[in-house]
């Protein structure tokens, strides 16, 4: 599993309030502030905020099912020098965003917290040097796409709220060329757009599930020891049976700390 969404929700303000690298780097005051560890260049590259909410589409749980990030850049802000490559955009895909080179803008990035869809990691061959086959299987479950479309509509409504309008923000209204057969901004269009510009958050988990020995899908036990292999543990995000309701960094740090304590206990190493 992984947290995954879309980068299609982009707004353009008419005031200099976004993380525009051209404007920020061309101001020597910002450079001097950065050397002191201060100012906009010392921030986390435009990652301004996050929030979670529940759409209510999944009646089997009361957990929040969507997270949104406010990123104060657009996919085209640097003209394709860096950001587009981190998103694996080819020239055709980047054509939509190139006109935003050097312009003020921000992205409201919605993504699913608890996808029903699951992917697979399998062996490509018997040669250990061959890379594995990774099939993410994003949005395979229909409920995931329904949740994603609801999150998109909420994100657009948020971007058009008075809190962003005071900066002159307007939705970047340029439909994707690859989704021309759909009426723009209908549910069918958004499904196409989500599959076209899928935005992974790099929160991959659940390939080495922790569980009891009676679970055929379990790889490690409650002490993170791999079943059937002596002296081997897995201590990372892959042992999560399911995704957490938010970014995985804190959970992975906790797993690492707990794994270290378990190893010290087994070796009777003194702990505080």
């Amino acid at each position: 599993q992984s947290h995954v969404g879309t980068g299609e929700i982009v707004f353009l303000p008419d005031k200099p309030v976004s993380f525009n690298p051209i404007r920020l780097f061309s101001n020597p005051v910002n450079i001097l502030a950065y050397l002191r560890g201060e100012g906009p260049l010392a921030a986390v590259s435009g990652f301004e905020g996050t929030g979670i909410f529940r759409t209510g589409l999944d009646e089997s749980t009361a957990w929040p099912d969507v997270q949104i990030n406010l990123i104060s850049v657009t996919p085209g802000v640097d003209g394709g020098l860096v950001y587009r490559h981190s998103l694996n955009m080819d020239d055709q895909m980047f054509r939509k965003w190139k006109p935003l080179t050097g312009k003020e803008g921000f992205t409201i990035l919605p993504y699913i917290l608890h996808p029903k869809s699951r992917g697979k990691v399998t062996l490509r061959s018997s040669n250990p040097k061959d890379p594995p086959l990774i099939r993410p299987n994003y949005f395979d479950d229909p409920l995931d796409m329904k949740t994603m479309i609801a999150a998109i509509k909420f994100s657009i409504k948020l971007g058009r709220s008075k809190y962003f309008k005071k900066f002159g923000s307007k939705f970047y209204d340029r439909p994707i060329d690859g989704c021309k057969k759909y009426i723009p901004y209908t549910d069918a269009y958004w499904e196409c757009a989500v599959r076209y510009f899928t935005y992974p958050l790099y929160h991959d988990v659940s390939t080495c599930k922790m569980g009891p020995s009676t679970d055929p899908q379990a790889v490690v036990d409650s002490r993170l020891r791999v079943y059937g292999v002596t002296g081997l543990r897995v201590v990372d995000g892959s042992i999560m049976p399911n995704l957490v309701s938010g970014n995985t960094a804190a959970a992975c740090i906790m797993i690492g700390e707990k794994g270290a304590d378990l190893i010290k206990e087994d070796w009777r190493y003194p702990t505080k």
Side-chain angles (χ1 to χ4, degrees), residues 122-133:
T122 57
L123 297 177
R124 184 181 297 269
S125 71
S126 59
N127 185 348
K129 293 185 178 181
D130 284 346
L133 292 172

Side-chain angles (χ1 to χ4, degrees), residues 107-255:
T107 303
I108 298 180
L109 176 63
Y111 54 95
I112 301 173
L113 285 176
H114 297 290
K116 301 292 185 182
S117 306
R118 284 186 177 269
K120 291 182 178 180
V121 178
T122 57
L123 297 177
R124 184 181 297 269
S125 71
S126 59
N127 185 348
K129 293 185 178 181
D130 284 346
L133 292 172
I134 302 175
R135 299 181 177 89
N137 217 27
Y138 299 144
F139 305 111
D140 179 63
D141 191 292
L143 182 59
D144 288 350
M145 184 56 71
K146 289 180 181 179
T147 303
M148 190 71 249
I149 291 173
I152 288 171
K153 293 177 179 179
F154 178 89
S155 300
I156 293 175
K157 184 178 179 180
L158 176 63
R160 288 173 171 166
S161 67
K162 62 181 180 181
Y163 305 102
F164 289 101
K165 278 189 174 180
K166 67 181 180 181
F167 301 111
S169 299
K170 293 183 180 180
F171 178 64
Y172 183 49
D173 188 0
R174 181 170 174 173
I176 298 173
D177 290 342
C179 299
K180 282 184 176 179
K181 65 178 180 179
Y182 302 105
I183 299 173
Y185 315 128
T186 60
D187 287 3
Y189 169 84
W190 282 124
E191 178 170 354
C192 174
V194 168
R195 297 186 187 280
Y196 189 84
F197 187 1
T198 304
Y199 197 118
L201 274 293
Y202 316 113
H203 296 170
D204 305 331
V205 302
S206 304
T207 53
C208 293
K209 177 183 177 180
M210 178 177 65
S213 59
T214 54
D215 183 351
Q217 298 295 320
V219 177
V220 300
D221 63 15
S222 60
R223 298 187 68 81
L224 308 183
R225 297 171 298 196
V226 176
Y227 286 115
V229 182
T230 303
L232 178 63
R233 278 184 166 95
V234 176
V235 189
D236 58 28
S238 64
I239 63 101
M240 298 182 195
N242 298 289
L243 274 164
V244 294
S245 298
N247 289 31
T248 52
C252 288
I253 292 169
M254 181 277 294
I255 292 168

Side-chain angles (χ1 to χ4, degrees), residues 47 49-53 64 66-70 109-111 113 154 245:
F47 190 100
T50 188
I52 60 176
F53 69 96
V66 170
Q67 183 166 346
I68 54 174
N69 291 341
L70 175 62
L109 176 63
Y111 54 95
L113 285 176
F154 178 89
S245 298

